[in-house]
């Protein structure tokens, strides 16, 4: 009798289960929200692409006129052109520089390539600070001294 009772109970349970409303599966967890796109990175450089600063620098040939053209700034990276004119000898030249800008105004530039090379001249780097409208510091070659440029 036990086996018959068990078979009858199972048949009845299967019949009831077939007719019973099905429960929906539990909801899937929703994916985490996507972070909002970050705004374009503001440059931390005190110099901007298109700026031109003019002034003088001191190297072995003496005081020389300099115009620094800022060609590109992206984040803390900067590219520039160093255009000089040594008036007493009428020597001019140009070369490119690349370097970094820091939020505190420090700008370091290293020479990259000549655009116009006069005889007996070398490319030099710059290490200085932008304060207001002035960029001043040191020319990074043993035979040179300071520079001072303004917008």
């Amino acid at each position: 009798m036990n086996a018959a009772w068990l078979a009858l109970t199972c048949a009845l349970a299967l019949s009831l289960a077939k007719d019973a409303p099905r429960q929906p599966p539990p909801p899937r967890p929703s994916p985490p929200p996507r972070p909002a796109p970050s705004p374009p990175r503001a440059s931390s450089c005190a110099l901007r692409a298109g700026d031109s600063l003019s002034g003088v620098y001191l190297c072995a040939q003496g005081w020389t006129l300099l115009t620094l053209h800022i060609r590109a700034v992206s984040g803390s990276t900067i590219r520039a052109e160093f255009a000089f004119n040594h008036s007493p000898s009428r020597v001019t030249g140009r070369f490119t520089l690349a370097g970094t800008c820091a939020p505190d105004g420090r700008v370091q530039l290293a020479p990259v390539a000549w655009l116009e090379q006069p005889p007996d001249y070398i490319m030099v780097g710059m290490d200085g600070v932008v304060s207001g409208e002035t960029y001043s510091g040191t020319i990074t070659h043993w035979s040179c001294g300071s520079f001072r440029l303004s917008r």
Side-chain angles (χ1 to χ4, degrees):
M1 248 180 145
N2 252 350
W5 177 253
L6 184 59
L8 182 63
T9 305
C10 285
L12 183 60
L14 284 174
S15 171
L16 288 173
K18 209 181 341 175
D19 296 336
R22 294 192 174 220
Q23 297 237 351
R28 291 183 181 170
S30 57
R34 287 187 175 164
S38 49
R41 211 170 114 195
S43 173
S44 61
C45 190
L47 299 173
R48 304 281 176 252
D51 283 353
S52 285
L53 297 96
S54 298
V56 294
Y57 73 100
L58 180 62
C59 274
Q61 73 276 9
W63 287 102
T64 305
L65 298 174
L66 166 63
T67 301
L68 185 69
H69 301 284
I70 308 305
R71 298 297 185 209
V73 177
S74 177
S76 63
T77 303
I78 183 171
R79 287 184 309 128
E81 179 184 315
F82 187 111
F84 62 90
N85 178 350
H86 184 245
S87 296
S89 64
R90 297 185 183 173
V91 173
T92 62
R94 300 179 306 129
F95 57 90
T96 59
L97 304 129
T100 58
C101 298
D104 65 359
R106 185 165 187 194
V107 177
Q108 295 177 298
L109 296 167
V112 175
W114 279 104
L115 298 170
E116 179 186 328
Q117 181 180 11
D120 301 323
Y121 273 74
I122 60 167
M123 295 185 293
V124 294
M126 304 172 78
D127 185 357
V129 174
V130 177
S131 178
E133 300 296 308
T134 303
Y135 175 38
S136 59
T138 305
I139 297 294
T140 57
H141 186 270
W142 64 268
S143 69
C144 298
S146 64
F147 69 89
R148 183 174 177 84
L149 307 173
S150 298
R151 293 182 217 250

